[in-house]
Amino acid sequence: MVRVREPFPVLGEAPAGRPGVLAACDGSDGSLWALDRAMTEAELFRLPLYVLAVVNPSPTGYPPGMAELVQESVEHLTASMADGLRRAVSTVQAARERPYGGELSLHVVLGNVIEVLLQTASAHHTLVVGTRGNGGFARLLLGSVSTAAVHHCSRPVLVVPAPPVT
């Protein structure tokens, strides 16, 4: 996978190590609000914060021989998501009253979003998600990822709503 050494290194594997707070981030407003709350939770409980983005380049799979042809596109997509994660963390840190002071790592993983989140969350203290991400229908109260997390996660799930409109 992709390993990028910039202000925030992004690891190409699921978070491992000491159990911590796992924040799902797809760059949507909902995931940014969830990331902010995840920072607060990690600081409060003195746990590491793992920020995870999952990229599913082919939800239905590739026909035989096609995987090799699209490898460059997958690498580009993964690198783009890594940049998006860095921007998300920077944006949330800039909006906070004080910078995040805990242990933080960023991860971009290829796979089915729900499967990867549920599997990864099983090794951590808490999973934090927004009510809705980038996909789906605006009229839904919860998106498919947050709904699946609430119903199937083996760890506590914190679903962060949008802030009230003022």
Side-chain angles (χ1 to χ4, degrees):
M1 291 301 154
V2 178
R3 282 190 186 266
V4 183
R5 302 251 182 237
E6 294 292 334
F8 298 111
V10 177
L11 305 176
E13 64 266 352
R18 192 165 75 110
V21 175
L22 178 65
C25 187
D26 65 1
S28 65
D29 288 346
S31 72
L32 296 181
W33 299 318
L35 178 56
D36 182 45
R37 180 56 192 236
M39 287 180 177
T40 300
E41 293 290 312
E43 286 175 322
L44 180 65
F45 292 106
R46 291 187 163 86
L47 293 170
L49 174 60
Y50 303 101
V51 184
L52 176 63
V54 182
V55 177
N56 193 355
S58 176
T60 59
Y62 296 114
M66 189 66 156
E68 295 80 26
L69 296 175
V70 298
Q71 184 59 35
E72 186 177 332
S73 295
V74 170
E75 290 172 2
H76 180 69
L77 181 62
T78 303
S80 177
M81 185 57 93
D83 290 339
L85 263 188
R86 285 189 204 94
R87 283 192 307 275
V89 169
S90 295
T91 298
V92 170
Q93 284 188 339
R96 292 175 56 108
E97 291 179 15
R98 60 183 177 78
Y100 175 69
E103 185 182 333
L104 172 84
S105 63
L106 308 179
H107 305 263
V108 176
V109 177
L110 294 175
N112 176 282
V113 176
I114 293 170
E115 289 173 9
V116 170
L117 276 180
L118 293 176
Q119 182 180 359
T120 305
S122 68
H124 292 285
H125 182 270
T126 306
L127 171 61
V128 182
V129 295
T131 53
R132 297 202 55 261
N134 277 327
F137 304 95
R139 70 179 181 277
L140 297 176
L141 296 176
L142 289 178
S144 59
V145 172
S146 54
T147 298
V150 167
H151 290 286
H152 302 290
C153 192
S154 63
R155 296 289 190 241
V157 177
L158 175 58
V159 180
V160 180
V165 178
T166 56

